[in-house]
Amino acid sequence: IILDNSRRWPLMIDPQMQANKWVKKSCGEDLNILRLTMSYVRALENCIQFGNPVLLENIEETLDAILDPVLQKATFKQGPQLMIRLGDNTI
């Protein structure tokens, strides 16, 4: 319920990796797992554009500012489409 009906995306603090396993099992092979240590921006753009689920793993105490619009669900309408601004790109 929290995953589907909240205004923002859920943040799971999961030291025992139980929620991580649950998300991976519930989303199946469609899930894209991104780590903030790798070059993740282009992969995140593709996932948003094509509607694929994303799991961000191993995040630190501070997040990259490019993730703010995604985490806040800061979408806007451009014509009939719902768009989001990710860095310099509008998806």
Side-chain angles (χ1 to χ4, degrees):
I1 294 174
I2 294 173
L3 292 174
D4 295 330
N5 298 326
S6 64
R7 289 185 46 130
R8 294 187 181 178
W9 300 110
L11 172 65
M12 295 180 221
I13 300 171
D14 187 23
Q16 295 178 345
M17 306 293 280
Q18 291 175 346
N20 197 347
K21 290 176 187 173
W22 177 79
V23 169
K24 287 178 182 179
K25 185 178 177 182
S26 66
C27 291
E29 293 184 19
D30 293 336
L31 182 65
N32 292 294
I33 300 169
L34 303 177
R35 290 174 181 82
L36 299 187
T37 56
M38 59 189 228
S39 177
Y40 65 92
V41 177
R42 185 67 190 150
L44 182 62
E45 288 176 1
N46 287 335
C47 290
I48 292 172
Q49 185 174 3
F50 297 115
N52 297 330
V54 175
L55 176 65
L56 294 173
E57 287 187 331
N58 301 332
I59 59 173
E60 300 293 326
E61 289 182 22
T62 58
L63 293 173
D64 192 3
I66 201 166
L67 293 173
D68 286 343
V70 176
L71 295 174
Q72 295 174 359
K73 291 187 180 180
T75 58
F76 60 93
K77 280 213 168 224
Q78 187 173 12
Q81 294 182 333
L82 203 57
M83 308 291 279
I84 191 166
R85 197 171 318 270
L86 188 64
D88 295 335
N89 298 332
T90 301
I91 306 168

Coordinates of all heavy atoms in Angstrom, one line a residue:
I1 N 0.8 -1.2 0.0 CA 0.0 0.0 0.0 C 0.9 1.2 0.0 O 0.6 2.2 -0.7 CB -1.0 0.0 1.2 CG1 -1.9 -1.2 1.1 CG2 -1.7 1.3 1.3 CD1 -2.8 -1.4 2.2
I2 N 1.9 1.2 0.8 CA 2.8 2.4 0.8 C 3.5 2.6 -0.5 O 3.7 3.7 -0.9 CB 3.9 2.2 2.0 CG1 3.2 2.3 3.3 CG2 4.9 3.4 1.9 CD1 4.1 1.9 4.5
L3 N 3.8 1.6 -1.2 CA 4.5 1.7 -2.4 C 3.6 2.3 -3.5 O 4.1 3.0 -4.4 CB 5.0 0.3 -2.9 CG 6.1 -0.3 -2.1 CD1 6.4 -1.7 -2.6 CD2 7.4 0.5 -2.2
D4 N 2.3 2.0 -3.5 CA 1.4 2.4 -4.5 C 0.7 3.7 -4.2 O 0.4 4.5 -5.1 CB 0.4 1.3 -4.8 CG 1.1 0.1 -5.3 OD1 2.1 0.2 -6.0 OD2 0.5 -1.0 -5.1
N5 N 0.4 4.0 -3.0 CA -0.6 5.1 -2.7 C 0.1 6.3 -2.0 O -0.7 7.0 -1.3 CB -1.7 4.5 -1.8 CG -2.5 3.5 -2.6 OD1 -2.6 3.6 -3.8 ND2 -3.0 2.5 -1.8
S6 N 1.3 6.5 -2.0 CA 2.0 7.6 -1.3 C 2.3 8.7 -2.3 O 2.4 8.5 -3.5 CB 3.2 7.1 -0.6 OG 4.2 6.7 -1.5
R7 N 2.4 9.9 -1.8 CA 2.7 11.1 -2.6 C 4.2 11.0 -3.1 O 4.6 11.6 -4.1 CB 2.5 12.4 -1.9 CG 1.0 12.7 -1.7 CD 0.8 14.0 -1.1 NE 1.7 15.0 -1.8 CZ 1.3 16.1 -2.3 NH1 0.1 16.5 -2.1 NH2 2.2 16.9 -2.9
R8 N 5.0 10.4 -2.2 CA 6.5 10.3 -2.6 C 6.8 8.9 -2.6 O 6.1 8.0 -2.1 CB 7.3 11.0 -1.5 CG 7.1 12.5 -1.5 CD 8.0 13.2 -0.6 NE 7.8 14.6 -0.5 CZ 8.4 15.4 0.2 NH1 9.4 15.0 1.0 NH2 8.2 16.7 0.2
W9 N 8.0 8.6 -3.2 CA 8.5 7.2 -3.3 C 9.0 6.8 -1.9 O 9.5 7.6 -1.2 CB 9.6 7.1 -4.3 CG 9.2 7.5 -5.7 CD1 9.6 8.6 -6.3 CD2 8.3 6.8 -6.5 NE1 9.0 8.7 -7.6 CE2 8.1 7.6 -7.7 CE3 7.5 5.7 -6.4 CZ2 7.3 7.2 -8.7 CZ3 6.7 5.3 -7.4 CH2 6.6 6.0 -8.6
P10 N 8.8 5.6 -1.6 CA 9.2 5.1 -0.2 C 10.7 5.0 -0.1 O 11.5 4.7 -1.0 CB 8.6 3.7 -0.1 CG 8.4 3.3 -1.5 CD 8.2 4.5 -2.3
L11 N 11.2 5.3 1.1 CA 12.6 5.1 1.5 C 12.6 4.0 2.5 O 12.0 4.0 3.5 CB 13.2 6.4 2.1 CG 14.6 6.3 2.7 CD1 15.6 6.0 1.6 CD2 14.9 7.6 3.4
M12 N 13.4 3.0 2.2 CA 13.5 1.8 3.1 C 14.9 1.7 3.6 O 15.9 1.6 2.9 CB 13.2 0.5 2.3 CG 11.8 0.5 1.8 SD 11.6 -1.1 0.9 CE 10.6 -0.5 -0.4
I13 N 15.0 1.9 4.9 CA 16.3 1.7 5.6 C 16.3 0.2 6.0 O 15.5 -0.2 6.8 CB 16.5 2.6 6.8 CG1 16.4 4.1 6.3 CG2 17.8 2.3 7.5 CD1 16.3 5.1 7.4
D14 N 17.2 -0.5 5.4 CA 17.1 -2.0 5.4 C 18.5 -2.6 5.7 O 19.1 -3.2 4.8 CB 16.5 -2.4 4.1 CG 16.2 -3.9 4.1 OD1 16.0 -4.5 5.1 OD2 16.2 -4.5 3.0
P15 N 19.0 -2.6 6.9 CA 20.3 -3.1 7.2 C 20.4 -4.7 7.0 O 21.4 -5.2 6.7 CB 20.6 -2.7 8.6 CG 19.3 -2.4 9.2 CD 18.4 -2.0 8.1
Q16 N 19.2 -5.3 7.2 CA 19.2 -6.8 7.1 C 18.8 -7.3 5.7 O 18.7 -8.5 5.4 CB 18.3 -7.4 8.1 CG 18.7 -7.1 9.5 CD 17.7 -7.7 10.5 OE1 16.6 -8.0 10.2 NE2 18.2 -7.8 11.8
M17 N 18.6 -6.3 4.7 CA 18.3 -6.6 3.3 C 17.0 -7.4 3.1 O 16.8 -8.0 2.1 CB 19.4 -7.4 2.7 CG 20.8 -6.7 2.8 SD 20.9 -5.2 1.9 CE 21.2 -5.8 0.3
Q18 N 16.0 -7.3 4.1 CA 14.8 -8.1 3.9 C 13.9 -7.4 2.9 O 13.3 -8.0 2.1 CB 14.1 -8.2 5.3 CG 14.8 -9.1 6.2 CD 14.2 -9.2 7.6 OE1 13.4 -8.3 7.9 NE2 14.5 -10.2 8.4
A19 N 13.7 -6.0 3.1 CA 12.9 -5.3 2.1 C 13.5 -5.3 0.7 O 12.8 -5.4 -0.3 CB 12.7 -3.8 2.6
N20 N 14.8 -5.3 0.6 CA 15.5 -5.4 -0.6 C 15.1 -6.7 -1.4 O 14.8 -6.7 -2.5 CB 17.0 -5.3 -0.4 CG 17.8 -4.9 -1.6 OD1 17.3 -5.0 -2.7 ND2 19.0 -4.6 -1.4
K21 N 15.2 -7.8 -0.6 CA 14.8 -9.1 -1.2 C 13.3 -9.1 -1.6 O 13.0 -9.7 -2.7 CB 15.1 -10.2 -0.2 CG 16.5 -10.5 0.0 CD 16.8 -11.5 1.1 CE 18.2 -11.6 1.4 NZ 18.5 -12.5 2.5
W22 N 12.5 -8.5 -0.8 CA 11.0 -8.5 -1.1 C 10.7 -7.7 -2.4 O 10.0 -8.1 -3.2 CB 10.3 -7.9 0.1 CG 8.8 -7.8 -0.2 CD1 7.9 -8.8 -0.1 CD2 8.1 -6.6 -0.6 NE1 6.6 -8.3 -0.5 CE2 6.8 -6.9 -0.7 CE3 8.5 -5.3 -0.8 CZ2 5.8 -6.0 -1.1 CZ3 7.5 -4.3 -1.1 CH2 6.2 -4.7 -1.3
V23 N 11.4 -6.5 -2.5 CA 11.2 -5.7 -3.7 C 11.7 -6.5 -5.0 O 11.0 -6.5 -6.0 CB 11.9 -4.3 -3.6 CG1 11.9 -3.6 -4.9 CG2 11.2 -3.5 -2.5
K24 N 12.8 -7.1 -4.8 CA 13.4 -7.8 -6.0 C 12.5 -9.0 -6.4 O 12.3 -9.3 -7.5 CB 14.8 -8.4 -5.6 CG 15.8 -7.3 -5.6 CD 17.2 -7.9 -5.3 CE 18.3 -6.8 -5.2 NZ 19.6 -7.3 -4.8
K25 N 11.9 -9.7 -5.4 CA 11.0 -10.8 -5.7 C 9.7 -10.3 -6.2 O 9.1 -10.9 -7.2 CB 10.7 -11.6 -4.4 CG 9.9 -12.8 -4.5 CD 9.8 -13.6 -3.2 CE 8.9 -14.8 -3.4 NZ 8.7 -15.5 -2.2
S26 N 9.1 -9.2 -5.7 CA 7.8 -8.7 -6.2 C 7.9 -8.1 -7.6 O 6.9 -8.2 -8.3 CB 7.2 -7.7 -5.2 OG 8.0 -6.6 -5.2
C27 N 9.0 -7.5 -8.0 CA 9.1 -6.9 -9.3 C 9.6 -7.8 -10.4 O 9.5 -7.6 -11.5 CB 10.0 -5.6 -9.2 SG 9.3 -4.3 -8.3
G28 N 10.3 -8.9 -9.9 CA 10.8 -9.9 -10.9 C 12.0 -9.3 -11.7 O 12.8 -8.5 -11.3
E29 N 12.0 -9.8 -13.0 CA 13.1 -9.5 -13.9 C 13.0 -8.1 -14.5 O 13.9 -7.6 -15.1 CB 13.2 -10.5 -15.0 CG 13.7 -11.9 -14.5 CD 13.9 -12.9 -15.6 OE1 14.0 -12.4 -16.7 OE2 13.9 -14.1 -15.3
D30 N 11.9 -7.4 -14.3 CA 11.7 -6.1 -14.9 C 12.5 -5.0 -14.0 O 12.7 -3.9 -14.5 CB 10.2 -5.7 -14.9 CG 9.4 -6.5 -15.9 OD1 10.0 -7.0 -16.8 OD2 8.2 -6.6 -15.7
L31 N 12.8 -5.4 -12.8 CA 13.5 -4.4 -11.9 C 14.9 -4.1 -12.4 O 15.7 -5.0 -12.7 CB 13.5 -5.0 -10.5 CG 14.1 -4.1 -9.4 CD1 13.2 -2.9 -9.2 CD2 14.2 -4.9 -8.1
N32 N 15.2 -2.8 -12.4 CA 16.5 -2.3 -12.7 C 17.2 -1.9 -11.4 O 16.6 -1.0 -10.7 CB 16.5 -1.2 -13.7 CG 16.0 -1.6 -15.1 OD1 16.7 -2.4 -15.7 ND2 14.8 -1.2 -15.5
I33 N 18.3 -2.5 -11.1 CA 19.0 -2.2 -9.8 C 20.1 -1.3 -10.2 O 21.0 -1.6 -11.0 CB 19.5 -3.5 -9.2 CG1 18.3 -4.4 -8.9 CG2 20.3 -3.1 -7.9 CD1 18.7 -5.8 -8.4
L34 N 20.1 -0.1 -9.6 CA 21.1 0.9 -9.8 C 21.8 1.2 -8.5 O 21.2 1.3 -7.4 CB 20.5 2.2 -10.4 CG 19.7 2.1 -11.6 CD1 19.1 3.4 -12.0 CD2 20.6 1.6 -12.8
R35 N 23.1 1.5 -8.6 CA 23.9 1.9 -7.4 C 24.5 3.2 -7.7 O 24.9 3.5 -8.8 CB 25.0 0.9 -7.2 CG 24.5 -0.5 -6.7 CD 25.6 -1.5 -6.6 NE 25.1 -2.8 -6.1 CZ 24.5 -3.7 -6.9 NH1 24.4 -3.4 -8.2 NH2 24.1 -4.8 -6.4
L36 N 24.5 4.1 -6.7 CA 24.9 5.5 -6.9 C 26.4 5.5 -7.1 O 26.9 6.6 -7.4 CB 24.5 6.3 -5.7 CG 23.0 6.4 -5.5 CD1 22.6 7.5 -4.5 CD2 22.2 6.8 -6.8
T37 N 27.1 4.4 -6.9 CA 28.6 4.4 -7.2 C 28.9 4.3 -8.6 O 30.0 4.6 -9.1 CB 29.3 3.3 -6.4 OG1 28.6 2.1 -6.8 CG2 29.1 3.5 -4.9
M38 N 27.9 3.9 -9.4 CA 28.1 3.8 -10.9 C 27.5 4.9 -11.6 O 26.9 5.8 -11.0 CB 27.5 2.4 -11.4 CG 26.0 2.3 -11.1 SD 25.5 0.7 -11.5 CE 24.0 1.0 -12.5
S39 N 27.7 5.0 -12.9 CA 27.1 6.0 -13.7 C 25.6 5.6 -13.9 O 25.3 4.8 -14.8 CB 27.8 6.1 -15.0 OG 27.2 7.1 -15.9
Y40 N 24.8 6.2 -13.2 CA 23.4 5.8 -13.1 C 22.4 6.7 -13.8 O 21.3 6.3 -14.0 CB 22.9 5.6 -11.7 CG 22.9 6.9 -10.9 CD1 21.7 7.6 -10.8 CD2 24.0 7.4 -10.2 CE1 21.7 8.8 -10.1 CE2 24.0 8.5 -9.6 CZ 22.8 9.3 -9.5 OH 22.8 10.4 -8.8
V41 N 22.8 7.9 -14.2 CA 21.8 8.9 -14.6 C 21.2 8.5 -15.9 O 20.0 8.5 -16.1 CB 22.5 10.3 -14.8 CG1 21.5 11.3 -15.3 CG2 23.0 10.7 -13.4
R42 N 22.0 8.0 -16.9 CA 21.4 7.6 -18.2 C 20.5 6.4 -18.0 O 19.4 6.3 -18.6 CB 22.5 7.3 -19.2 CG 22.0 7.0 -20.6 CD 21.4 8.2 -21.2 NE 20.7 7.8 -22.4 CZ 19.7 8.4 -22.9 NH1 19.2 9.5 -22.3 NH2 19.1 8.0 -24.0
A43 N 20.9 5.4 -17.2 CA 20.0 4.3 -17.0 C 18.7 4.7 -16.3 O 17.7 4.1 -16.6 CB 20.8 3.2 -16.1
L44 N 18.8 5.6 -15.3 CA 17.6 6.1 -14.7 C 16.7 6.8 -15.7 O 15.5 6.6 -15.6 CB 18.0 7.0 -13.5 CG 16.8 7.6 -12.7 CD1 16.1 6.5 -12.0 CD2 17.4 8.6 -11.6
E45 N 17.2 7.6 -16.6 CA 16.4 8.3 -17.6 C 15.7 7.3 -18.4 O 14.5 7.4 -18.7 CB 17.3 9.2 -18.5 CG 17.8 10.4 -17.8 CD 18.8 11.2 -18.7 OE1 19.0 10.7 -19.9 OE2 19.3 12.2 -18.3
N46 N 16.4 6.2 -18.8 CA 15.7 5.2 -19.7 C 14.6 4.5 -18.9 O 13.6 4.2 -19.5 CB 16.8 4.2 -20.2 CG 17.7 4.7 -21.2 OD1 17.3 5.7 -21.9 ND2 18.9 4.2 -21.3
C47 N 14.9 4.2 -17.6 CA 13.8 3.5 -16.8 C 12.6 4.4 -16.7 O 11.5 3.9 -16.8 CB 14.4 3.1 -15.5 SG 15.6 1.8 -15.5
I48 N 12.8 5.7 -16.5 CA 11.7 6.6 -16.3 C 10.9 6.7 -17.6 O 9.7 6.7 -17.7 CB 12.1 8.0 -15.8 CG1 12.6 7.9 -14.4 CG2 11.0 9.0 -15.9 CD1 13.3 9.1 -13.9
Q49 N 11.6 6.8 -18.7 CA 11.0 7.0 -20.0 C 10.2 5.8 -20.4 O 9.1 6.0 -21.0 CB 12.1 7.3 -21.1 CG 11.6 7.6 -22.4 CD 12.7 7.9 -23.4 OE1 13.9 7.9 -23.1 NE2 12.3 8.3 -24.6
F50 N 10.7 4.6 -20.1 CA 10.0 3.4 -20.6 C 9.1 2.8 -19.4 O 8.5 1.7 -19.6 CB 11.0 2.4 -21.1 CG 11.7 2.8 -22.3 CD1 13.0 3.1 -22.3 CD2 11.0 3.1 -23.5 CE1 13.7 3.5 -23.4 CE2 11.6 3.6 -24.6 CZ 13.0 3.8 -24.6
G51 N 9.1 3.4 -18.3 CA 8.2 3.0 -17.2 C 8.7 1.7 -16.5 O 7.9 1.0 -15.9
N52 N 10.0 1.5 -16.4 CA 10.5 0.3 -15.8 C 10.8 0.6 -14.3 O 11.2 1.7 -14.0 CB 11.8 -0.1 -16.4 CG 11.6 -0.6 -17.8 OD1 10.5 -1.1 -18.2 ND2 12.6 -0.4 -18.7
P53 N 10.6 -0.3 -13.4 CA 10.8 -0.1 -12.0 C 12.3 0.0 -11.7 O 13.1 -0.7 -12.4 CB 10.2 -1.3 -11.3 CG 10.1 -2.3 -12.3 CD 10.0 -1.6 -13.6
V54 N 12.7 0.8 -10.7 CA 14.1 1.0 -10.4 C 14.3 0.8 -8.9 O 13.4 1.3 -8.1 CB 14.6 2.4 -10.8 CG1 16.0 2.7 -10.3 CG2 14.5 2.6 -12.2
L55 N 15.4 0.2 -8.5 CA 15.8 0.1 -7.1 C 17.1 0.7 -6.9 O 18.1 0.3 -7.6 CB 15.8 -1.4 -6.6 CG 16.3 -1.7 -5.2 CD1 15.4 -1.0 -4.2 CD2 16.5 -3.1 -5.0
L56 N 17.3 1.8 -6.1 CA 18.5 2.4 -5.9 C 19.1 1.8 -4.6 O 18.5 1.8 -3.6 CB 18.4 3.9 -5.7 CG 17.9 4.7 -6.9 CD1 17.6 6.1 -6.5 CD2 18.9 4.7 -8.0
E57 N 20.3 1.2 -4.8 CA 20.9 0.5 -3.7 C 22.1 1.3 -3.2 O 22.7 2.0 -4.0 CB 21.4 -0.9 -4.1 CG 20.3 -1.9 -4.3 CD 20.9 -3.3 -4.6 OE1 22.0 -3.4 -5.1 OE2 20.2 -4.2 -4.2
N58 N 22.5 1.0 -2.0 CA 23.8 1.5 -1.4 C 23.9 3.0 -1.5 O 24.9 3.6 -1.8 CB 25.0 0.9 -2.0 CG 25.0 -0.6 -1.9 OD1 24.4 -1.2 -0.9 ND2 25.6 -1.3 -2.8
I59 N 22.8 3.7 -1.1 CA 22.9 5.2 -1.1 C 23.5 5.6 0.2 O 23.4 5.0 1.2 CB 21.5 5.8 -1.3 CG1 20.5 5.4 -0.3 CG2 21.0 5.5 -2.7 CD1 19.2 6.1 -0.3
E60 N 24.1 6.8 0.1 CA 24.8 7.4 1.3 C 23.8 8.3 2.1 O 22.6 8.3 1.8 CB 26.0 8.2 0.8 CG 27.0 7.4 0.1 CD 27.7 6.3 0.9 OE1 27.9 6.6 2.1 OE2 28.0 5.3 0.4
E61 N 24.3 9.0 3.0 CA 23.4 9.9 3.8 C 22.9 11.0 3.0 O 21.8 11.6 3.3 CB 24.2 10.4 5.0 CG 24.4 9.3 6.1 CD 25.2 9.9 7.3 OE1 25.1 11.1 7.5 OE2 25.8 9.1 8.0
T62 N 23.7 11.5 2.1 CA 23.2 12.6 1.2 C 23.0 12.0 -0.2 O 23.8 11.2 -0.7 CB 24.3 13.7 1.1 OG1 25.5 13.2 0.7 CG2 24.5 14.3 2.5
L63 N 22.0 12.6 -0.9 CA 21.7 12.1 -2.2 C 22.1 13.2 -3.2 O 22.2 14.4 -2.9 CB 20.2 11.9 -2.3 CG 19.6 10.7 -1.6 CD1 18.1 10.7 -1.6 CD2 20.2 9.4 -2.1
D64 N 22.3 12.7 -4.4 CA 22.7 13.6 -5.5 C 21.4 14.5 -5.8 O 20.3 14.0 -5.8 CB 23.0 12.8 -6.8 CG 23.7 13.6 -7.9 OD1 23.9 14.8 -7.7 OD2 23.9 13.0 -8.9
A65 N 21.7 15.8 -6.1 CA 20.6 16.7 -6.3 C 19.8 16.4 -7.6 O 18.6 16.7 -7.7 CB 21.1 18.1 -6.5
I66 N 20.3 15.6 -8.5 CA 19.6 15.2 -9.7 C 18.4 14.3 -9.4 O 17.5 14.2 -10.1 CB 20.6 14.6 -10.7 CG1 20.0 14.6 -12.1 CG2 20.9 13.1 -10.3 CD1 21.0 14.3 -13.2
L67 N 18.4 13.6 -8.2 CA 17.4 12.7 -7.8 C 16.2 13.4 -7.2 O 15.1 12.8 -7.0 CB 17.9 11.7 -6.8 CG 18.9 10.7 -7.4 CD1 19.5 9.8 -6.3 CD2 18.3 9.8 -8.5
D68 N 16.3 14.7 -6.8 CA 15.3 15.4 -6.1 C 13.9 15.4 -6.8 O 12.9 15.1 -6.2 CB 15.7 16.8 -5.7 CG 16.7 16.8 -4.6 OD1 16.8 15.8 -3.8 OD2 17.4 17.9 -4.4
P69 N 13.9 15.8 -8.1 CA 12.6 15.8 -8.8 C 11.9 14.4 -8.8 O 10.7 14.2 -8.7 CB 12.9 16.3 -10.2 CG 14.2 16.9 -10.1 CD 14.9 16.3 -9.0
V70 N 12.8 13.3 -8.9 CA 12.2 12.0 -9.0 C 11.7 11.6 -7.6 O 10.6 11.1 -7.5 CB 13.3 11.0 -9.4 CG1 12.8 9.6 -9.4 CG2 13.9 11.3 -10.8
L71 N 12.4 11.8 -6.6 CA 12.0 11.4 -5.2 C 10.7 12.2 -4.8 O 9.9 11.7 -4.0 CB 13.1 11.6 -4.2 CG 14.3 10.7 -4.4 CD1 15.4 11.1 -3.5 CD2 13.9 9.3 -4.3
Q72 N 10.6 13.5 -5.3 CA 9.4 14.3 -4.9 C 8.3 14.1 -5.9 O 7.2 14.8 -5.7 CB 9.9 15.7 -4.8 CG 10.9 16.0 -3.7 CD 11.4 17.4 -3.8 OE1 11.0 18.2 -4.6 NE2 12.2 17.8 -2.8
K73 N 8.4 13.3 -6.9 CA 7.4 13.1 -7.9 C 7.0 14.4 -8.5 O 5.9 14.8 -8.7 CB 6.2 12.4 -7.4 CG 6.4 10.9 -7.1 CD 5.1 10.2 -6.7 CE 5.3 8.8 -6.4 NZ 4.1 8.1 -6.0
A74 N 8.0 15.3 -8.8 CA 7.8 16.6 -9.4 C 7.5 16.5 -10.9 O 8.3 16.9 -11.7 CB 9.0 17.5 -9.1
T75 N 6.3 16.1 -11.2 CA 5.9 15.9 -12.6 C 5.1 17.1 -13.0 O 4.5 17.8 -12.2 CB 5.1 14.6 -12.8 OG1 4.0 14.7 -12.0 CG2 5.9 13.4 -12.5
F76 N 5.1 17.4 -14.3 CA 4.3 18.4 -14.9 C 3.7 18.0 -16.2 O 4.2 17.1 -16.8 CB 5.1 19.7 -15.0 CG 6.3 19.6 -15.9 CD1 6.2 19.9 -17.2 CD2 7.5 19.1 -15.4 CE1 7.3 19.8 -18.1 CE2 8.6 19.0 -16.2 CZ 8.5 19.4 -17.5
K77 N 2.6 18.6 -16.6 CA 2.0 18.3 -17.9 C 2.6 19.1 -19.0 O 2.7 20.3 -18.9 CB 0.5 18.4 -17.8 CG -0.2 17.3 -17.1 CD -1.6 17.1 -17.7 CE -2.1 15.8 -17.2 NZ -2.7 15.0 -18.2
Q78 N 2.9 18.5 -20.1 CA 3.3 19.2 -21.3 C 2.5 18.6 -22.4 O 2.8 17.5 -22.9 CB 4.8 18.9 -21.6 CG 5.4 19.8 -22.7 CD 6.9 19.6 -22.8 OE1 7.5 18.8 -22.2 NE2 7.5 20.5 -23.6
G79 N 1.4 19.3 -22.7 CA 0.4 18.8 -23.6 C -0.3 17.6 -22.9 O -0.7 17.8 -21.8
P80 N -0.5 16.5 -23.6 CA -1.2 15.4 -23.0 C -0.3 14.5 -22.1 O -0.8 13.6 -21.4 CB -1.7 14.6 -24.2 CG -0.8 14.9 -25.3 CD -0.3 16.3 -25.0
Q81 N 1.0 14.7 -22.2 CA 2.0 13.9 -21.5 C 2.4 14.4 -20.1 O 2.5 15.6 -19.9 CB 3.2 13.6 -22.3 CG 2.9 12.9 -23.6 CD 4.2 12.6 -24.4 OE1 5.1 13.4 -24.3 NE2 4.2 11.6 -25.2
L82 N 2.7 13.5 -19.2 CA 3.2 13.8 -17.9 C 4.7 13.7 -18.0 O 5.3 12.7 -18.4 CB 2.7 12.8 -16.9 CG 2.7 13.2 -15.4 CD1 1.9 14.5 -15.2 CD2 2.1 12.1 -14.6
M83 N 5.4 14.8 -17.7 CA 6.9 14.9 -17.8 C 7.5 15.1 -16.5 O 6.9 15.6 -15.5 CB 7.2 16.1 -18.8 CG 6.5 16.1 -20.1 SD 7.0 14.8 -21.1 CE 8.5 15.4 -21.8
I84 N 8.9 14.9 -16.4 CA 9.7 15.2 -15.2 C 11.0 15.7 -15.7 O 11.5 15.3 -16.8 CB 9.8 13.9 -14.3 CG1 10.4 14.3 -13.0 CG2 10.6 12.9 -15.0 CD1 10.3 13.2 -11.9
R85 N 11.6 16.6 -15.0 CA 12.9 17.2 -15.4 C 13.9 16.5 -14.5 O 13.9 16.5 -13.3 CB 12.9 18.7 -15.1 CG 14.0 19.4 -15.8 CD 13.8 20.9 -15.6 NE 12.4 21.4 -15.8 CZ 11.9 21.7 -17.0 NH1 12.6 21.7 -18.1 NH2 10.7 22.2 -17.1
L86 N 14.9 15.9 -15.2 CA 16.0 15.2 -14.6 C 17.3 15.8 -15.1 O 17.7 15.5 -16.2 CB 15.9 13.7 -15.0 CG 16.9 12.7 -14.2 CD1 16.6 12.7 -12.7 CD2 16.8 11.3 -14.8
G87 N 17.9 16.6 -14.3 CA 19.1 17.4 -14.7 C 18.7 18.4 -15.8 O 17.8 19.1 -15.6
D88 N 19.4 18.3 -16.9 CA 19.1 19.2 -18.0 C 18.0 18.6 -19.0 O 17.6 19.3 -19.9 CB 20.4 19.5 -18.8 CG 21.4 20.2 -18.0 OD1 21.0 21.0 -17.1 OD2 22.6 20.1 -18.3
N89 N 17.7 17.4 -18.8 CA 16.8 16.7 -19.7 C 15.3 16.7 -19.1 O 15.1 16.5 -17.9 CB 17.2 15.2 -19.9 CG 18.6 15.2 -20.6 OD1 19.0 16.0 -21.3 ND2 19.3 14.1 -20.3
T90 N 14.4 16.7 -20.0 CA 13.0 16.6 -19.7 C 12.5 15.3 -20.3 O 12.6 15.0 -21.5 CB 12.2 17.8 -20.3 OG1 12.7 19.0 -19.8 CG2 10.7 17.6 -19.9
I91 N 12.0 14.4 -19.4 CA 11.6 13.1 -19.8 C 10.1 13.0 -19.7 O 9.5 13.3 -18.7 CB 12.3 12.0 -18.9 CG1 13.8 12.2 -19.0 CG2 11.9 10.6 -19.4 CD1 14.5 11.4 -18.0

